[in-house]
Amino acid sequence: MYTPLPPHFQPRRLIAADMDKVNVAPPPLPSYEQPTIPAQGYLWVPGFWAWRKSVPDYFWVPGTGVQPPQPGLLWTPPYWSRVDGGYAFHAGYWAAEIG
């Protein structure tokens, strides 16, 4: 069964000027056991911290097993980096190589 990726897993490459910056560091990544992949051809897409402006606070987006949109693609997970005195979110994306 193919599970389409939710919108927060869709590729979106940002340039520094377009990034929303957050002044609060993201929480540490939680430690959890990766569940079994649901079927052959699926990859584990790890969870990540996302920012909700309306609260404002971080919330955990859990990981899941998904099929790549095309055979041979690998998932580069999203991450937060230190940028200009704040923290910027870099969305994950599918590509032929990780990173």
Side-chain angles (χ1 to χ4, degrees):
M1 175 173 97
Y2 174 72
T3 305
L5 289 176
H8 55 266
F9 284 120
Q10 297 302 319
R12 196 177 111 206
R13 296 184 191 245
L14 299 174
I15 57 173
D18 294 335
M19 289 182 191
D20 286 330
K21 294 185 192 94
V22 176
N23 292 327
V24 180
L29 293 174
S31 177
Y32 60 91
E33 193 168 319
Q34 178 179 319
T36 304
I37 297 296
Q40 188 169 349
Y42 279 65
L43 297 175
W44 177 249
V45 175
F48 61 93
W49 288 108
W51 179 260
R52 183 174 291 137
K53 287 182 188 180
S54 63
V55 173
D57 201 1
Y58 288 95
F59 65 97
W60 181 249
V61 178
T64 188
V66 297
Q67 282 185 316
Q70 296 176 337
L73 293 183
L74 300 171
W75 178 249
T76 294
Y79 66 95
W80 288 89
S81 70
R82 188 98 169 130
V83 177
D84 296 332
Y87 298 88
F89 181 75
H90 303 267
Y93 59 91
W94 293 101
E97 297 176 347
I98 294 175

